[in-house]
Amino acid sequence: RDLPQLNRSGDLGREIASLRLDGRQAAVLVEALPLPQLRRAYVLLGCIAHSLANANKAAWERVGPARTTPPASCGEAAAGPVRLPSAIAMPWSTACRRLGLPEVLTSTGLDLWNHSTCGRRSGGKRLSARDFAPLVSMSGTKAEVGFHAVPFGVQLALAPLLREMLAVPSLVRRRGWPGGWSRLVALCERLTGALTDVVDLLGEIEQMVEPDIFYDVYRPLLGGWDEVGLELEGVPPNEEQPPEKAADVAASPSTSPSLSTAVAASRGLWRVVHHKGPSAGQTAILMLVDAVLGVHHGPLGCSFRREMRDKYLPRQHAKLLASIEAELEKWGSLHEAAADVHAPVALVSAHNAAVDALIAMRKRHMRVASNYLRKTSTGTGGSDFRTLLGENVAATRRTRIGGGNGRHHEE
């Protein structure tokens, strides 16, 4: 039975319990997975975890018959954290630890690691957002597909520039060398083109995602547990202790093999985590665009960006981003190069055009978010998105050389 149907019927918890899965053995298997399968395990187990925790919050009657049986999902004390059964918690925690991710679904997992394009392209056709087909779905809705297809397309538009953006510190340092200025101009022009494509792509989201279905059915499934917490049954509180060893702890003479769930939790045997749900702010390549263009965010934007980078990006992505940011701090960004008194007019113009395209992207994103989240003030990642996105637009506008509003698409 597929996950969306189990979520709609409320039978997912019972289905998992009936399988009598051994969480410790599953964790051992996940420990040995190669990277592609490890990423898929993270997504699959994460979707199950979010479904167990959140399926009862979705308005399933909007997309089919309402559930006929009470949901059997995670345990939950009156005012305590939601409890994830060990059969899911232990292997998922192992996958998260290996990837350097928190125990919650992230944008990287859902937008980049949860798609299949087999049979969707022919004749060398370029991959696009329309090719996105999720491997795992929680709701079975078109809104879910479109919600991740658009950021998937954003990544596709910007990915060809990744190597050049990572080389910006070196290019800026050598800007006075023969051909140095022209390479910076060319990169700014390519960034403008890619960001313009992103603006156009964001304009397609209304055709791909029905607002009410997204808000009432799919959005609740994405919710994190930053407030109530998620208790990982079988996973020890000690970060250094592998989850697959937790069962040994729970069954030791000092605790007794028949120790109840409530008693085990009260003794602190199992880990409780508090994490926000996925957010567009977790898109590493957009963080990189900001960094190479020299965008300096305000207090709210800086705090949010640092939290997303350090806590919600895969370990290797976060390390690479931190490394390039340190290099940019040392040698300068495209903004510093364009502000150089020796910079050619062409670079100033190209840099400002790229910044204008980024402003247009941010204004389009704010409009889209306001439309899809009009009933709330918080985004899927738990932020006050209107204030945050407004501050980001203002910070980006300040990046223009010579000031001014520039000419961009969203005025």
Side-chain angles (χ1 to χ4, degrees):
R1 301 173 68 183
D2 66 332
L3 184 57
Q5 179 57 39
L6 289 168
N7 283 335
R8 293 181 195 185
S9 66
D11 292 331
L12 178 59
R14 279 182 284 271
E15 186 79 6
I16 291 174
S18 71
L19 296 176
R20 300 186 179 277
L21 299 172
D22 187 322
R24 177 170 51 177
Q25 290 181 2
V28 171
L29 292 174
V30 169
E31 191 71 61
L33 289 177
L35 185 59
Q37 286 77 16
L38 178 64
R39 289 172 171 173
R40 184 168 183 181
Y42 162 77
V43 173
L44 173 60
L45 294 167
C47 285
I48 294 173
H50 276 251
S51 295
L52 288 168
N54 298 324
N56 62 336
K57 303 171 187 175
W60 294 108
E61 65 275 9
R62 298 294 307 276
V63 293
R67 65 171 77 235
T68 56
T69 57
S73 55
C74 296
E76 184 175 2
V82 175
R83 184 178 301 119
L84 190 65
S86 61
I88 304 301
M90 295 178 72
W92 190 37
S93 183
T94 298
C96 292
R97 173 176 54 79
R98 289 189 60 197
L99 292 165
L101 284 170
E103 291 92 347
V104 73
L105 284 173
T106 60
S107 289
T108 301
L110 292 174
D111 300 340
L112 292 182
W113 298 344
N114 186 35
H115 70 89
S116 172
T117 56
C118 296
R120 300 296 298 275
R121 290 182 291 167
S122 62
K125 178 185 173 184
R126 183 179 176 182
L127 192 64
S128 73
R130 298 286 179 176
D131 294 312
F132 184 87
L135 291 168
V136 183
S137 172
M138 290 186 281
S139 70
T141 63
K142 292 181 180 179
E144 178 178 357
V145 177
F147 184 71
H148 297 295
V150 170
F152 173 73
V154 170
Q155 305 266 4
L156 291 176
L158 293 169
L161 298 177
L162 180 59
R163 287 184 180 273
E164 291 178 76
M165 287 194 286
L166 293 176
V168 164
S170 177
L171 293 175
V172 171
R173 178 169 59 88
R174 296 179 297 169
R175 59 187 180 274
W177 293 18
W181 293 112
S182 62
R183 283 193 288 272
L184 294 175
V185 171
L187 175 54
C188 287
E189 291 174 344
R190 293 192 65 192
L191 274 170
T192 300
L195 290 169
T196 300
D197 289 344
V198 170
V199 173
D200 294 340
L201 183 60
L202 290 174
E204 297 180 20
I205 196 168
E206 294 178 1
Q207 305 169 31
M208 304 173 71
V209 182
E210 185 179 348
D212 289 342
I213 298 299
F214 166 74
Y215 189 88
D216 295 331
V217 179
Y218 186 52
R219 183 177 184 266
L221 293 166
L222 295 175
W225 20 84
D226 50 315
E227 294 183 1
V228 68
L230 183 72
E231 185 177 352
L232 304 174
E233 186 179 71
V235 180
N238 182 2
E239 290 283 351
E240 296 180 357
Q241 184 174 11
E244 58 269 22
K245 299 296 184 183
D248 294 334
V249 176
S252 67
S254 61
T255 60
S256 164
S258 60
L259 188 68
S260 73
T261 292
V263 173
S266 70
R267 294 185 183 179
L269 288 179
W270 299 330
R271 188 179 307 165
V272 176
V273 295
H274 296 265
H275 302 308
K276 297 177 179 178
S279 164
Q282 299 166 4
T283 307
I285 201 162
L286 288 176
M287 295 186 193
L288 181 60
V289 170
D290 265 354
V292 299
L293 283 176
V295 177
H296 293 283
H297 289 282
L300 181 61
C302 280
S303 176
F304 179 77
R305 187 178 185 278
R306 185 165 47 249
E307 179 187 16
M308 294 300 106
R309 184 196 70 183
D310 296 344
K311 190 173 180 181
Y312 295 97
L313 290 185
R315 182 187 302 109
Q316 295 303 318
H317 294 197
K319 288 175 65 176
L320 178 61
L321 196 56
S323 174
I324 193 66
E325 287 173 349
E327 289 293 299
L328 288 165
E329 183 70 24
K330 180 177 181 180
W331 299 110
S333 65
L334 293 171
H335 175 84
E336 279 74 37
D340 189 329
V341 295
H342 301 293
V345 174
L347 178 57
V348 177
S349 298
H351 172 269
N352 282 348
V355 171
D356 289 342
L358 184 56
I359 294 170
M361 185 206 77
R362 290 212 150 104
K363 295 187 76 173
R364 178 64 66 88
H365 179 215
M366 186 171 4
R367 192 173 78 185
V368 168
S370 297
N371 182 34
Y372 283 87
L373 300 174
R374 58 183 179 273
K375 301 176 185 178
T376 183
S377 61
T378 58
T380 53
S383 64
D384 181 343
F385 73 91
R386 290 184 179 88
T387 301
L388 177 63
L389 297 181
E391 182 184 285
N392 289 347
V393 169
T396 308
R397 186 176 288 120
R398 290 193 299 268
T399 308
R400 300 186 86 256
I401 304 297
N405 291 326
R407 298 178 60 187
H408 43 82
H409 303 77
E410 297 296 299
E411 293 293 356

